[in-house]
Amino acid sequence: MLMIARGIITQLRIGRPQPLPGHRMLSAYRRQPVAGPVTVHELGLDGDQVGNTRVHGGPEKAIYAYPISGYDGWRAEYPDLADRFVAGAMGENLVVDGLDETSLCLGDVIRCGTAKLQIAQIREPCSTFAAAMATTRMVKAMVRSGRCGWYLRVLEGGAIAPGDGHDVIERPNPDWPISRFTPIAAGKAGRHEEMAELAALPGLSAYWRSKLARRLLDQQQ
């Protein structure tokens, strides 16, 4: 099998809803590492739950991955908060080494263990993220920096364990690394032609297709 890019899953994490200080809803944000293997189905990892199903979870946010290298950037930017930036601090399911938002593209098809996944969209920070980090500074910082991680849909179920690969086996959109998309998602960039191209990308989530279509319509008015 052709391998376009290769990463390794250093941790596999699942969680159940529990209180977060300063947050009115239960959240599964504080996911804990498990040894695995863990079964993967359409809605994510077996045993992993979501607190607020209105904005979290679902087939196009089935699994959340975050690069271990992203924590280096956070610690460098916020040395006073360095002790908070450890694996799992972003609420991720997969802690990934060797790949990040610059080396992965929207729509990439990923082999993880015996499961086949696809990058559907980026993570957008919210009040849960601010509550978990105990500061609102992180919300704008994630948007600005692009250290957002990526959500995966499940194309084929299977099982994943720590030490398995996070390997890109298909790349339908080589011109669209996540790092190119993040400033457009934040509303900081994006020509009409770019957004039209984005809205038609294979593998992009329905949420972002709809959001981009609305932006394109607004530009025409």
Side-chain angles (χ1 to χ4, degrees), residues 143 182-190 215:
V143 173
T182 49
I184 296 175
K188 305 296 184 183
R215 285 192 191 177

mmCIF file of all heavy atoms in Angstrom, residues 143 182-190 215:
data_model
loop_
_atom_site.group_PDB
_atom_site.id
_atom_site.type_symbol
_atom_site.label_atom_id
_atom_site.label_comp_id
_atom_site.label_asym_id
_atom_site.label_seq_id
_atom_site.Cartn_x
_atom_site.Cartn_y
_atom_site.Cartn_z
ATOM 1 N N VAL A 143 -7.288 29.917 17.217
ATOM 2 C CA VAL A 143 -7.689 30.418 15.903
ATOM 3 C C VAL A 143 -6.510 31.085 15.205
ATOM 4 O O VAL A 143 -6.245 30.853 14.022
ATOM 5 C CB VAL A 143 -8.866 31.408 16.042
ATOM 6 C CG1 VAL A 143 -9.169 32.072 14.703
ATOM 7 C CG2 VAL A 143 -10.101 30.691 16.571
ATOM 8 N N THR A 182 -7.021 26.971 7.829
ATOM 9 C CA THR A 182 -7.354 27.575 9.124
ATOM 10 C C THR A 182 -7.557 29.091 9.073
ATOM 11 O O THR A 182 -8.510 29.590 9.687
ATOM 12 C CB THR A 182 -6.319 27.194 10.200
ATOM 13 O OG1 THR A 182 -4.988 27.412 9.699
ATOM 14 C CG2 THR A 182 -6.466 25.744 10.605
ATOM 15 N N PRO A 183 -6.730 29.879 8.360
ATOM 16 C CA PRO A 183 -7.012 31.318 8.329
ATOM 17 C C PRO A 183 -8.304 31.644 7.586
ATOM 18 O O PRO A 183 -8.987 32.617 7.927
ATOM 19 C CB PRO A 183 -5.785 31.924 7.633
ATOM 20 C CG PRO A 183 -5.158 30.800 6.894
ATOM 21 C CD PRO A 183 -5.461 29.568 7.682
ATOM 22 N N ILE A 184 -8.662 30.838 6.613
ATOM 23 C CA ILE A 184 -9.932 31.045 5.907
ATOM 24 C C ILE A 184 -11.084 30.710 6.835
ATOM 25 O O ILE A 184 -12.087 31.433 6.903
ATOM 26 C CB ILE A 184 -9.978 30.193 4.627
ATOM 27 C CG1 ILE A 184 -8.882 30.642 3.657
ATOM 28 C CG2 ILE A 184 -11.354 30.273 3.967
ATOM 29 C CD1 ILE A 184 -8.760 29.785 2.410
ATOM 30 N N ALA A 185 -10.947 29.626 7.580
ATOM 31 C CA ALA A 185 -11.986 29.250 8.539
ATOM 32 C C ALA A 185 -12.200 30.344 9.576
ATOM 33 O O ALA A 185 -13.326 30.582 10.019
ATOM 34 C CB ALA A 185 -11.608 27.942 9.229
ATOM 35 N N ALA A 186 -11.126 31.023 9.940
ATOM 36 C CA ALA A 186 -11.204 32.093 10.944
ATOM 37 C C ALA A 186 -11.717 33.397 10.354
ATOM 38 O O ALA A 186 -11.894 34.374 11.085
ATOM 39 C CB ALA A 186 -9.838 32.308 11.571
ATOM 40 N N GLY A 187 -11.955 33.423 9.045
ATOM 41 C CA GLY A 187 -12.430 34.639 8.402
ATOM 42 C C GLY A 187 -11.345 35.659 8.154
ATOM 43 O O GLY A 187 -11.626 36.828 7.879
ATOM 44 N N LYS A 188 -10.069 35.224 8.228
ATOM 45 C CA LYS A 188 -8.945 36.139 8.077
ATOM 46 C C LYS A 188 -8.409 36.187 6.648
ATOM 47 O O LYS A 188 -7.535 36.979 6.333
ATOM 48 C CB LYS A 188 -7.800 35.729 9.016
ATOM 49 C CG LYS A 188 -8.187 35.619 10.486
ATOM 50 C CD LYS A 188 -8.604 36.952 11.062
ATOM 51 C CE LYS A 188 -8.883 36.822 12.555
ATOM 52 N NZ LYS A 188 -9.351 38.096 13.134
ATOM 53 N N ALA A 189 -8.894 35.315 5.808
ATOM 54 C CA ALA A 189 -8.382 35.240 4.436
ATOM 55 C C ALA A 189 -9.425 34.548 3.575
ATOM 56 O O ALA A 189 -10.482 34.141 4.055
ATOM 57 C CB ALA A 189 -7.052 34.462 4.408
ATOM 58 N N GLY A 190 -9.102 34.397 2.304
ATOM 59 C CA GLY A 190 -9.974 33.636 1.425
ATOM 60 C C GLY A 190 -10.596 34.456 0.315
ATOM 61 O O GLY A 190 -11.517 35.231 0.547
ATOM 62 N N ARG A 215 -20.991 32.020 2.873
ATOM 63 C CA ARG A 215 -20.018 33.103 2.678
ATOM 64 C C ARG A 215 -19.976 33.534 1.216
ATOM 65 O O ARG A 215 -19.902 34.730 0.910
ATOM 66 C CB ARG A 215 -18.627 32.638 3.121
ATOM 67 C CG ARG A 215 -18.430 32.567 4.610
ATOM 68 C CD ARG A 215 -16.958 32.401 4.927
ATOM 69 N NE ARG A 215 -16.728 32.075 6.313
ATOM 70 C CZ ARG A 215 -15.524 31.832 6.826
ATOM 71 N NH1 ARG A 215 -14.456 31.900 6.051
ATOM 72 N NH2 ARG A 215 -15.376 31.537 8.108
#
